[in-house]
Amino acid sequence: QLQLQESGPGLVKPSETLSLTCSVSGGSITSRSCYWVWIRQPPGKGLEWIGSIFYNGDTYYKPSLKSRITMSVDTSKSQFSLRLTSVTAADTAVYFCARLGFNYPFDPWGQGTLVTVSS
Amino acid sequence: SSELTQDPAVSVALGQTVRMTCQGDSLRNYYANWFQQKAGQAPVVVIYAKTNRPSGIPDRFSGSGSGNTASLTITGAQAEDEADYYCNSRDSSGYQVFGGGTKLTVL
């Protein structure tokens, strides 16, 4: 079945760029019936949708983060990625990747990866 | 973007029924989904498109809604239902939004 796995540095310095990759296996990243998304969860807090990307590169970004976010997809590697610039301690969170179907909500999810912003 | 509001915490006695609510203007036009998240785990969808239950989710979970409010009901709550529950929907711009979450305690 479809599986997603996040990867990337667990520690990023303030003002630098957070970069994460989600590897998709057991299914096609070029599906025309879903988006690929990033969601984050600060320690002890709720879920926050960050953005969604279609296989052709079309994106939706959370408006409050739009100026700092870039999402991309590499169909040859079956991966999609997140870049978040100028990070601060407020960006410390568990970052999840997930699939969002046109008629089905976020499922499956990756296991999540904790990214800490600290010097 | 629109917001979804949930009660921060609710409790229920073992075997009793509990209802959690989610309020927001976007729910007047778009369905709510509900996710269960246990400590240290990724969320799992328990109800989608307001009333639909994925395969593998116990039938004690049910969803409903009207107007700007969606509800998740657990009929006969079990100890393993203790978790955080999040509602989710989209808005007219296509942006996704989550509620702040409800912490369910089973007594």
Side-chain angles (χ1 to χ4, degrees), chain B residues 2-6 22-24 26-27 87-89 97-100:
Chain B
S2 43
E3 298 181 352
L4 297 176
T5 302
Q6 298 182 248
C22 173
Q23 290 188 306
S26 64
L27 299 179
C87 62
N88 148 254
S89 186
V97 61
F98 286 99

Side-chain angles (χ1 to χ4, degrees), chain A residues 53-87:
Chain A
I53 188 166
F54 199 51
Y55 80 98
N56 65 355
D58 288 347
T59 53
Y60 288 90
Y61 297 149
K62 182 170 183 174
S64 61
L65 297 172
K66 187 174 183 178
S67 63
R68 298 196 291 132
I69 293 176
T70 302
M71 293 178 63
S72 60
V73 61
D74 186 336
T75 57
S76 67
K77 294 183 178 179
S78 200
Q79 295 177 333
F80 62 102
S81 299
L82 169 71
R83 292 182 75 250
L84 180 66
T85 62
S86 304
V87 297

